[in-house]
Amino acid sequence: MAIDLGCHVGYASPEETGVRSDGMMKQEETDRSAVVDDVEAAAGDGGVNYVARAQWLRAAVLGANDGLVSVASLMIGVGAVNGTRRAMLVAGLAGLVAGACSMAIGEFVSVYAQYDIQAAQIERARGGKDSGGGDDEDQLPSPTMAAVASALSFAVGAAVPLLAGGFVRQWAARVGVVCAASSLGLAGFGVASAYLGGASVARSGMRMLVGGWLAMAVTYGVLKLFGLRGV
């Protein structure tokens, strides 16, 4: 008697395969919709929208970090060739004023370019006709607010090393205070940005510290080298 050993095990008809595929596709779409709904619900029902924070958080942290690192490096660098308290204080104050002005002008120009692009896009969407669009205009960035915020954040960061070490009389203590205050400020800015942005606190704080230490060390080393050579 012949035995039929045809490949019937695990075989599915085309109709059954189509039903399975449709079922799996529907299940995947349901899962994706559930994820999207959860995200939207979290953002709308008291959840934190970290993406919406990214732009202003980046500007604030960047300005404060630039102010702190720039002024601290400038004070330490000047201290490498001139150990007087007045020289370091004047250098730090000059760095604060110049840096805040530079940040404000740069942010104003940058945001104004973004403003022009978005305004032109709104006009193109209207088709050259005035059809309302007040909501779109409300979403346009403010170059003036961006400039003021950037200058203030830079000044806040720059004030940390300036106020901490600018009035210490002894050179070694002054440099030590500037380094210590700058390290605390960098760690604080890193932790705050990580907390507000929902990122890793340890990694963010360490990145800030390492970057600031490197900038101060390079500035001190370069100016010390120039001072030793009498340049």
Side-chain angles (χ1 to χ4, degrees):
M1 179 176 62
I3 299 175
D4 186 8
L5 298 178
C7 298
H8 296 289
V9 179
Y11 174 80
S13 64
E15 292 79 5
E16 293 174 342
T17 303
V19 171
R20 292 178 186 174
S21 300
D22 293 341
M24 293 177 64
M25 292 176 63
K26 291 179 180 179
Q27 182 63 35
E28 291 177 355
E29 292 176 357
T30 302
D31 294 340
R32 285 195 295 267
S33 299
V35 172
V36 173
D37 292 340
D38 290 341
V39 173
E40 293 178 349
D45 299 334
V48 179
N49 188 351
Y50 293 109
V51 176
R53 286 181 174 179
Q55 186 171 5
W56 68 262
L57 180 62
R58 178 200 63 81
V61 173
L62 179 63
N65 184 69
D66 279 355
L68 192 153
V69 174
S70 298
V71 171
S73 300
L74 187 59
M75 293 178 68
I76 292 175
V78 170
V81 295
N82 189 335
T84 63
R85 179 176 61 88
R86 180 179 175 83
M88 291 183 65
L89 182 61
V90 170
L93 184 59
L96 188 155
V97 175
C101 292
S102 176
M103 289 288 291
I105 294 172
E107 194 72 12
F108 184 84
V109 172
S110 176
V111 175
Y112 219 115
Q114 179 184 353
Y115 177 94
D116 290 338
I117 293 173
Q118 291 185 222
Q121 180 62 32
I122 292 174
E123 290 298 325
R124 285 194 295 269
R126 291 178 181 174
K129 299 179 181 179
D130 188 7
S131 58
D135 293 338
D136 293 334
E137 292 180 352
D138 291 340
Q139 296 178 1
L140 289 173
S142 172
T144 302
M145 290 182 62
V148 172
S150 182
L152 287 177
S153 63
F154 185 96
V156 169
V160 173
L162 182 62
L163 295 178
F167 300 96
V168 178
R169 293 188 176 278
Q170 188 179 3
W171 178 85
R174 189 186 315 125
V175 173
V177 169
V178 169
C179 292
S182 299
S183 298
L184 289 176
L186 288 169
F189 291 147
V191 170
S193 64
Y195 177 77
L196 293 174
S200 172
V201 171
R203 286 198 297 268
S204 180
M206 186 55 63
R207 280 195 297 265
M208 288 283 197
L209 282 173
V210 172
W213 289 341
L214 182 61
M216 289 185 284
V218 169
T219 306
Y220 179 87
V222 171
L223 290 181
K224 188 67 175 179
L225 180 62
F226 276 27
L228 291 176
R229 294 191 175 184
V231 178

